[in-house]
Amino acid sequence: MTPAKPGRQAMAEVLNSVVDSIGGTPLVRLDRLTAQAGVRGRILAKLEYLNPGFSKKDRAALGIIEEAERSGAIKPGQTVVELTSGNMGTGLAIICAVRGYPFVAVMSKGNSEERARMMTALGAEVILVDQLPGSVPGQVSGGDLALVEQTAKAVAAERGAYRADQFHRDGNWLAHYRGTGPEIWDASHGAVDAFVDFIGSGGTYAGVARALKERNPLIKCFIVEPKGAAAAAGEPITQSEHPIQGGGYTMPDLAFLNNVPIDGYLQVSGDEARQVTRLLARSEGIFGGFSSGANVAAALRLLNGDQSGKTIAVVICDSGLKYLSTDLWS
């Protein structure tokens, strides 16, 4: 009998801290899912939910803090403040705990409660901000995020804190340009025809698209947004509230997307994201969140269209464990 191959951690040396385990996530084929969906082609999923904070935002959080340390923008022991839907906050909580920075996460009450509990457990102070009147819990709009931004600015000023500012700090997209993108290329041996990504700050899309396009300009890169809230695509905003947490904030001018090649835009509804997330769990044993389902749904649509027979890379953004209080698994 051939012995089982050791996991990625089994082959690694002893690490100095959990921060050193960020990145290097597996890339896996979703052949069972594509067979059930009846499409021709292949989806390669980057399992970012296997990072220590259970999301891709661990990379961006580390990139932002290391950038601040190199430039001297942050002082030893200085408080860090950031707005978050929960994933960036979790990543920052982990890194700040290890590096010795007090961390304050500012989050909308519309995000799932598991996120606040996890950040608190990791030593963060969590400030929850009320949603706009009439907003639906579990559905955070751009207006809700604007209220969170106001609070984050006030808290940062009051405490003389370093603002992580994930929508503008280059450490965000550079983490994916230097890490996620090259890892996808290397693991696939360059056999990728397209990449799709559900955008929040746009950092993952910008970093991965730049990295892949530099290696092969023929790779097609597509932005994914919620149906009815596709601001980057220039579509009319008809449904700013949706269940796909962590993005789709109806921001038409994301800084990281400036001068980044975009080959097309895809819109996915909350129901479609939910259904594909559940299919991903049942068919592949991959327990992702709403945005992971949105990415896979977009890839399936491409394989059912002009990318039929091709290979499409996606990111499994975070863990389904962060949505147990929502209707994702009910």
Side-chain angles (χ1 to χ4, degrees):
M1 180 183 293
T2 303
K5 293 182 180 179
R8 64 188 178 105
Q9 294 303 326
M11 294 185 289
E13 60 186 81
V14 176
L15 304 178
N16 291 324
S17 78
V18 71
V19 172
D20 294 329
S21 72
I22 293 172
T25 55
L27 187 70
V28 303
R29 292 164 51 164
L30 304 185
D31 292 349
R32 284 150 291 275
L33 184 145
T34 53
Q36 286 193 35
V39 297
R40 289 184 59 251
R42 178 181 300 169
I43 299 175
L44 303 180
K46 187 74 166 142
L47 304 187
E48 289 297 287
Y49 77 130
L50 297 182
N51 280 305
F54 308 150
S55 91
K56 66 178 185 177
K57 290 290 190 176
D58 289 6
R59 294 182 189 256
L62 180 58
I64 288 169
I65 295 299
E66 288 190 335
E67 175 191 46
E69 290 174 336
R70 282 193 299 268
S71 67
I74 191 170
K75 301 178 179 64
Q78 186 177 7
T79 296
V80 175
V81 171
E82 182 55 339
L83 93 171
T84 181
S85 66
N87 285 334
M88 175 62 83
T90 299
L92 285 169
I94 290 170
I95 292 149
C96 288
V98 172
R99 298 285 176 90
Y101 303 110
F103 174 57
V104 182
V106 186
M107 188 174 77
S108 171
K109 289 182 179 178
N111 292 115
S112 58
E113 61 189 54
E114 295 91 334
R115 296 162 181 250
R117 290 181 180 182
M118 187 173 180
M119 289 186 287
T120 300
L122 290 164
E125 176 186 345
V126 180
I127 298 174
L128 297 178
V129 180
D130 289 330
Q131 293 181 269
L132 290 168
S135 293
V136 179
Q139 299 185 11
V140 179
S141 68
D144 292 328
L145 191 69
L147 295 178
V148 177
E149 170 66 12
Q150 291 175 15
T151 302
K153 280 183 177 179
V155 172
E158 176 186 318
R159 305 194 188 189
Y162 174 77
R163 179 69 193 277
D165 196 4
Q166 61 179 297
F167 283 85
H168 296 95
R169 302 285 188 190
D170 287 335
N172 180 342
W173 75 268
L174 284 170
H176 299 289
Y177 174 75
R178 294 167 178 162
T180 316
E183 288 172 22
I184 290 171
W185 176 267
D186 292 344
S188 67
H189 303 289
V192 173
D193 299 299
F195 170 69
V196 301
D197 190 56
F198 179 80
I199 58 168
S201 68
T204 307
Y205 178 85
V208 174
R210 286 180 186 272
L212 293 179
K213 290 277 193 179
E214 284 181 6
R215 289 161 173 79
N216 179 2
L218 297 180
I219 294 175
K220 302 291 186 183
C221 296
F222 299 87
I223 279 176
V224 182
E225 296 179 279
K227 186 176 181 180
E235 298 288 335
I237 305 303
T238 59
Q239 189 176 352
S240 61
E241 293 182 338
H242 54 83
I244 312 176
Q245 295 183 28
Y249 295 126
T250 64
M251 295 179 178
D253 301 311
L254 291 169
F256 295 143
L257 299 184
N258 291 337
N259 302 315
V260 176
I262 301 170
D263 294 297
Y265 299 86
L266 298 162
Q267 285 88 52
V268 175
S269 70
D271 285 341
E272 188 179 4
R274 184 183 295 107
Q275 291 168 9
V276 176
T277 304
R278 293 172 178 175
L279 177 61
L280 186 63
R282 292 194 305 268
S283 63
E284 298 286 354
I286 295 173
F287 196 51
F290 274 107
S291 54
S292 304
N295 282 338
V296 176
L300 287 171
R301 193 179 305 165
L302 289 174
L303 291 180
N304 208 27
D306 60 7
Q307 296 296 308
S308 178
K310 302 291 183 66
T311 297
I312 301 176
V314 304
V315 171
I316 305 301
C317 309
D318 66 359
S319 169
L321 291 170
K322 299 190 177 189
Y323 301 87
L324 293 177
S325 66
T326 74
D327 66 355
L328 179 57
W329 306 113
S330 60

